[in-house]
């Protein structure tokens, strides 16, 4: 049996589309209570409204911090209609029943994101709103709670289709939505304060979820939680898959490390092509040349606008996704010729400062690896020092190897990844495979540099590198046998630098 809405309390920060709700409530003969700006908004619509101050006989005080926190408000929300004692006390204290509460919360999360001052942020911690939400949601047996403007459409449909009546299932669903809103809000407040204290607890919340075609494999369900439109705009193509999203993140994280025109080609989160050049077209051609086989079906990222020349080169390759900060009109027209080709226009991407992984019966958290050592961090440990060109390539190689799964090896020449291997249980295997791949694609390793994500426990990798023509090496150092590798580098007249920073990636 439905329960008729006879009275409503409305107090909201965002008033978008609120007029439709208020007009429908007025049409249904619902008595409306309100406060402050919301009251003025309703009055502006020419609709009768009773000020909460008239109900409580108490004004809004402390600069608006205390408006609705009063027994006549909360009693009307929490009073149980089937409880004789509650009904007796409500009559005794002249507390009217409130059947519908429409309230939202001050924009705390948005104020933090916008870089608001401490004072502004603290003032956006809602007190009355969050209390009203919890009270109305708790008493869902009798009260309907709408805690977000995102639910206005659902409420309006309910009012129109049921003529202002709600059943228990309706009220319980809205209560669940309300607790979703309040828990999300409190999570962001806690995480803001926890920046100063780092309590070892895990709290994260995302309000929006998008069901994907499937997970990593077709038999697995997949959902993305978050707002992808903050990162990019989809200009063409089919829906992004789970694997697409994983590779898009890998490509954007990698490309964010470079300021020169650079293109990265990603397969299974690892780069099979990476190059920096004077133009984005030349960068793409150099990146593609790294491994023309693996580039097929890859995910590509560029850090410059795609022009027609670059689009013409790209159009000859089957790839899943291309992301770039923009596209010339003629380039976009050409690339859109393949209807399933996913084209993303990137907005702003800053790699996250923390990463999480579900593990065993809990969650593993760590700081993201945002370091990439430059020459000022290089410790020259061999008789021979790297040349200016080698130093530039070593910096490039360190970035490349840090984004490969361990064990990883990156071979670089003239700011082009000419050989790489990753995910090996042996560093020797990773190096041998990288050399083999470089030779398969016609690269001359003479004068190339090598970066390793971790130290060399033995000098074997130094020997193999020297025999292949590599002339400079960057590695973290830290092995008890570092000197053996240094001695081997001196024996082959190689330059070696240590960085003191390991870049494992699992």
């Amino acid at each position: 049996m439905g329960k008729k809405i006879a009275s409503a309390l409305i107090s909201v920060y965002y008033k978008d589309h609120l007029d439709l709700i208020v007009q429908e409530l007025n049409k249904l003969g619902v008595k409306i209570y309100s406060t402050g700006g919301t009251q003025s908004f309703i009055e502006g619509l020419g609709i009768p409204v009773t000020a909460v101050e008239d109900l409580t006989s108490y004004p809004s005080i402390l600069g608006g911090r205390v408006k609705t926190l009063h027994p006549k408000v909360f009693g009307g929300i929490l009073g149980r209609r089937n409880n004789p004692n509650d009904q007796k006390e409500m009559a005794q204290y002249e507390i009217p029943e409130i059947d519908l509460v429409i309230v939202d919360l001050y924009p705390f999360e948005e104020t933090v994101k916008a870089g608001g001052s401490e004072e502004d942020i603290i003032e956006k911690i809602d007190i009355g709103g969050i209390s009203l939400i919890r009270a109305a949601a708790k008493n869902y047996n009798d009260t309907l709670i709408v805690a977000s403007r995102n639910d206005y459409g659902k409420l309006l449909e309910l009012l129109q289709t049921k003529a202002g009546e709600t059943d228990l299932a309706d009220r319980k669903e809205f209560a669940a939505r309300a607790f979703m809103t309040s828990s999300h809000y409190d999570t962001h407040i806690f995480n803001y304060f926890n920046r100063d204290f780092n309590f070892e607890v895990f709290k994260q919340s995302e309000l929006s979820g998008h069901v994907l075609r499937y997970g990593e494999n077709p038999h697995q369900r997949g959902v993305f939680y978050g707002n992808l439109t903050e990162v990019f705009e989809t200009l063409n193509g089919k829906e992004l898959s789970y694997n697409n999203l994983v590779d898009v993140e890998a490509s954007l994280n990698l490309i964010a490390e470079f300021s020169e025109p650079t293109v990265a080609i990603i397969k299974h989160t690892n780069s099979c092509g990476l190059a920096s050049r004077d133009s984005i077209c030349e960068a793409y051609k150099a990146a593609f040349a790294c491994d023309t086989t693996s580039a097929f079906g890859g995910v590509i990222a560029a850090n410059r606008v795609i022009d027609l020349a670059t689009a013409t080169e790209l159009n000859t390759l089957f790839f899943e996704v291309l992301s770039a900060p923009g596209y010339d009109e003629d380039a976009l027209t050409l690339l859109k010729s393949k209807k399933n080709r996913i084209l993303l226009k990137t907005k702003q991407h800053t790699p996250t400062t923390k990463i999480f992984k579900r593990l065993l019966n809990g969650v593993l958290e760590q700081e993201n690896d945002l370091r990439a050592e430059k020459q000022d961090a290089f410790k020259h440990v061999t008789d021979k020092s790297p040349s200016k060109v080698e130093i530039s390539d070593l910096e490039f190689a360190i970035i490349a190897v840090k984004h490969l799964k361990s064990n990883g090896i990156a071979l670089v020449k003239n700011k082009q990844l000419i050989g790489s291997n990753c995910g090996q249980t042996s560093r020797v295997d990773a190096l041998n495979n990288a050399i083999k791949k470089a030779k398969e694609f016609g690269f001359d390793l003479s004068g190339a540099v090598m970066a390793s994500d971790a130290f060399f426990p033995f000098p074997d990798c130094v020997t193999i590198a020297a025999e292949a023509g590599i002339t400079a090496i960057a590695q973290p150092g830290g092995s008890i046998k570092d000197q053996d590798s240094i001695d081997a580098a001196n024996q082959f007249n190689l330059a070696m630098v240590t960085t003191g920073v390991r870049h494992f990636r699992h």
Side-chain angles (χ1 to χ4, degrees):
M1 182 176 177
K3 183 181 184 303
K4 188 76 173 178
I5 297 173
S7 59
L9 170 63
I10 308 176
S11 179
V12 297
Y13 185 89
Y14 296 105
K15 299 170 183 64
D16 316 54
H17 309 300
L18 181 64
D19 54 336
L20 300 176
I21 301 291
V22 172
Q23 288 162 356
E24 188 65 26
L25 290 173
N26 183 58
K27 188 188 303 181
L28 294 167
V30 175
K31 183 177 180 62
I32 299 174
Y33 300 94
S34 191
T35 64
T38 308
Q39 177 187 339
S40 299
F41 176 83
I42 295 171
E43 290 171 341
L45 297 173
I47 291 174
V49 56
T50 299
V52 167
E53 289 88 345
D54 294 340
L55 170 64
T56 63
S57 300
Y58 216 91
S60 173
I61 61 173
L62 306 182
R65 280 188 165 196
V66 181
K67 290 183 287 191
T68 56
L69 295 170
H70 193 280
K72 280 202 171 182
V73 174
F74 281 85
I77 294 170
L78 285 164
R80 290 162 289 190
R81 313 310 194 246
N82 62 353
N83 185 300
N85 190 58
D86 283 7
Q87 292 300 299
K88 179 181 177 182
E89 290 184 344
M90 290 175 73
Q92 179 183 353
Y93 296 108
E94 300 180 332
I95 299 173
E97 294 179 351
I98 297 176
D99 304 314
L100 168 64
V101 175
I102 304 175
V103 63
D104 60 11
L105 300 169
Y106 293 155
F108 177 87
E109 183 182 354
E110 294 84 348
T111 305
V112 172
K113 280 185 178 179
S117 67
E118 176 89 2
E119 182 180 1
D120 287 342
I121 289 169
I122 297 304
E123 285 305 310
K124 292 301 186 293
I125 298 176
D126 207 308
I127 304 301
I130 203 79
S131 302
L132 290 168
I133 288 171
R134 291 181 66 84
K138 177 177 180 176
N139 196 30
Y140 67 87
N141 275 315
D142 299 301
T143 306
L144 180 68
I145 172 65
V146 178
S148 169
R149 56 180 168 168
N150 296 329
D151 293 331
Y152 284 0
K154 190 172 182 64
L155 172 63
L156 185 60
E157 180 184 3
L158 186 67
L159 294 173
Q160 292 172 338
T161 57
K162 294 190 175 182
E165 290 192 355
T166 66
D167 57 37
L168 185 62
D170 297 325
R171 298 190 296 275
K172 192 169 186 178
E173 180 185 344
F174 273 92
R177 291 174 177 273
F179 283 123
M180 175 176 66
T181 297
S182 64
S183 64
H184 176 81
Y185 193 76
D186 284 339
T187 294
H188 279 275
I189 293 172
F190 168 75
N191 285 335
Y192 172 77
F193 279 90
N194 199 37
R195 296 188 305 187
D196 295 331
F197 303 102
N198 290 316
F199 297 135
E200 292 174 352
V201 296
F202 181 79
K203 290 184 180 293
Q204 292 293 316
S205 177
E206 292 289 349
L207 278 179
S208 57
H210 177 69
V211 178
L212 305 172
R213 297 200 305 271
Y214 50 80
E216 202 161 4
N217 299 291
H219 64 278
Q220 295 170 271
R221 183 174 183 269
V223 183
F224 176 82
Y225 297 101
N227 184 5
L228 288 172
T229 61
E230 294 178 355
V231 183
F232 53 71
E233 176 187 357
T234 301
L235 303 179
N236 188 69
K238 59 186 178 181
E239 183 182 346
L240 284 159
S241 70
Y242 179 101
N243 293 331
N244 288 156
L245 288 170
V246 172
D247 283 344
V248 165
E249 187 200 37
S251 68
L252 293 180
N253 286 346
L254 175 54
I255 211 74
E257 304 258 17
F258 296 93
S259 57
E260 296 177 85
T262 302
V263 170
I265 305 174
I266 300 293
K267 287 291 283 289
H268 303 295
T269 75
N270 296 295
S271 56
C272 58
L274 180 67
S276 295
R277 291 292 184 265
D278 291 334
S279 73
I280 203 66
C281 184
E282 292 304 312
Y284 167 70
K285 289 191 285 187
F288 176 65
C290 298
D291 184 341
T292 56
T293 301
S294 297
F296 182 86
V299 169
I300 304 173
N303 64 355
R304 294 291 192 278
V305 171
I306 300 298
D307 56 21
L308 181 60
T310 310
T312 302
E313 294 288 338
L314 283 159
N315 200 46
T316 64
L317 174 69
F318 169 74
F319 58 87
E320 289 275 345
V321 185
L322 171 63
S323 64
Y327 300 82
D328 287 346
E329 187 175 344
D330 50 2
L332 186 60
T333 299
L334 176 62
L335 291 171
K336 279 185 172 182
S337 61
K338 304 289 177 64
K339 67 176 183 178
N340 287 330
R341 178 184 282 161
I342 301 169
L343 303 176
L344 306 178
K345 181 180 178 182
T346 53
K347 297 179 180 178
Q348 181 179 359
H349 174 69
T350 302
T352 58
T353 57
K354 291 184 179 181
I355 53 178
F356 316 108
K357 184 177 184 179
R358 185 79 186 182
L359 195 69
L360 299 174
N361 64 341
V363 176
L364 201 60
E365 175 189 298
Q366 69 169 345
E367 294 177 349
N368 203 354
D369 184 1
L370 300 177
R371 295 184 60 173
E373 296 69 51
K374 302 299 182 184
Q375 61 175 317
D376 57 357
F378 291 175
K379 182 180 179 182
H380 297 233
V381 295
T382 48
D383 296 338
K384 182 183 178 183
S385 292
S387 67
K388 184 177 180 180
V389 170
E390 288 171 334
I391 286 174
S392 176
D393 279 347
L394 287 170
E395 291 178 339
F396 188 102
I398 288 170
I399 294 172
V401 80
K402 129 182 191 187
H403 288 269
L404 296 174
K405 294 291 176 68
S406 300
N407 288 307
I409 291 288
L411 307 180
V412 169
K413 188 174 182 180
N414 298 326
K415 297 183 181 179
Q416 180 186 26
L417 184 67
I418 63 172
S420 66
N421 201 244
C422 53
Q424 297 296 326
T425 54
S426 161
R427 195 161 302 281
V428 171
D429 286 346
L431 176 56
N432 280 326
N433 288 339
I435 292 170
K436 178 183 177 184
K437 179 151 281 193
K439 290 180 178 178
E440 282 179 0
F441 289 100
F443 290 106
D444 179 7
L445 286 166
S446 299
V449 307
M450 174 177 78
S452 171
D453 62 343
F455 63 61
F456 301 125
F458 304 103
D460 42 12
C461 282
V462 177
T463 301
I464 295 168
E467 290 173 348
I470 291 162
T471 56
I473 298 171
Q475 53 115 345
S479 168
I480 59 173
K481 294 186 176 181
D482 268 352
Q483 194 58 48
D484 291 350
S485 294
I486 294 169
D487 290 343
N490 284 328
Q491 177 186 343
F492 292 105
N493 196 33
L494 299 185
M496 179 185 289
V497 300
T498 59
T499 63
V501 179
R502 189 181 72 185
H503 290 294
F504 270 170
R505 182 175 293 264
H506 294 101

